[in-house]
Amino acid sequence: MGNRRFVLTTVGISLFLNSAEAEWRAQLNKQSNARDVPAEMKQQIETKAQDILATLKQAEVAEIRRLSAELNGLYCYYENQLTRARDDVHWLIATDTYLGGKAAEIVKDFMEDQQLNCNLFVPPNLSSSEPASFSKGIKELIRWCEETIPAYRE
């Protein structure tokens, strides 16, 4: 356990954007900061999320890296061998938005499927929709870091 690392990864919506057609990508961008999305779009996102996860689980490393900025970073860090990440503790940080949460769930599910120790934190109000909300969210993230990270150093 001496070489166990604490790995913090921020999660955006690259999984959705990189697997969407141009017209739907524009709709996703419009909803990127929303906490809730219209019911019809919510159903489309749920279906797409299941498709993306299934694709990730069957894809080659190059395709996974192309689809997900977050997983691309992890594959890069672990030199394309996620088995090297199994002893580490992974935390995903997502925005407090519908799409951000869904994207983080997909990444978390994929990582758990790879037998990685993965946790998720969504700081309340973390969204770039307005400066005040973003500021509150960042303060929550900093508080969480101050409370959480020291325990992993020990």
Side-chain angles (χ1 to χ4, degrees):
M1 188 132 112
N3 291 337
R4 192 172 196 180
R5 289 169 284 212
F6 176 90
V7 181
L8 187 69
T9 303
T10 57
V11 180
I13 61 169
S14 67
L15 274 169
F16 288 108
L17 296 176
N18 291 340
S19 61
E21 304 77 33
E23 184 179 314
W24 205 55
R25 190 176 302 128
Q27 291 178 24
L28 289 170
N29 277 324
K30 286 180 188 173
Q31 298 294 329
S32 63
N33 286 314
R35 279 191 152 152
D36 199 20
V37 298
E40 181 182 307
M41 189 171 195
K42 194 177 282 189
Q43 184 55 50
Q44 289 176 308
I45 291 168
E46 291 293 332
T47 300
K48 190 66 172 172
Q50 292 171 8
D51 293 346
I52 290 169
L53 182 58
T55 298
L56 289 174
K57 288 181 177 183
Q58 297 175 27
E60 299 290 326
V61 171
E63 178 69 0
I64 295 168
R65 291 183 73 165
R66 184 191 72 74
L67 287 171
S68 169
E70 302 79 15
L71 294 172
N72 180 47
L74 290 172
Y75 273 104
C76 182
Y77 183 74
Y78 292 104
E79 299 172 335
N80 284 340
Q81 297 178 19
L82 282 190
T83 55
R84 294 179 179 176
R86 287 189 179 150
D87 291 332
D88 297 341
V89 176
H90 298 269
W91 277 93
L92 302 175
I93 306 297
T95 56
D96 191 9
T97 63
Y98 186 78
L99 280 169
K102 282 291 160 199
E105 287 174 18
I106 296 167
V107 174
K108 185 177 188 296
D109 288 348
F110 175 81
M111 291 175 71
E112 289 175 343
D113 189 65
Q114 303 298 307
Q115 300 174 355
L116 304 183
N117 177 359
C118 187
N119 307 281
L120 173 60
F121 178 60
V122 179
N125 298 304
L126 185 61
S127 166
S128 61
S129 61
E130 55 186 54
S133 178
F134 184 75
S135 180
K136 286 180 186 176
I138 289 295
K139 286 177 183 172
E140 270 302 307
L141 177 58
I142 291 169
R143 182 197 58 73
W144 177 86
C145 287
E146 289 172 341
E147 292 175 0
T148 305
I149 294 173
Y152 286 101
R153 279 200 181 132
E154 295 170 10

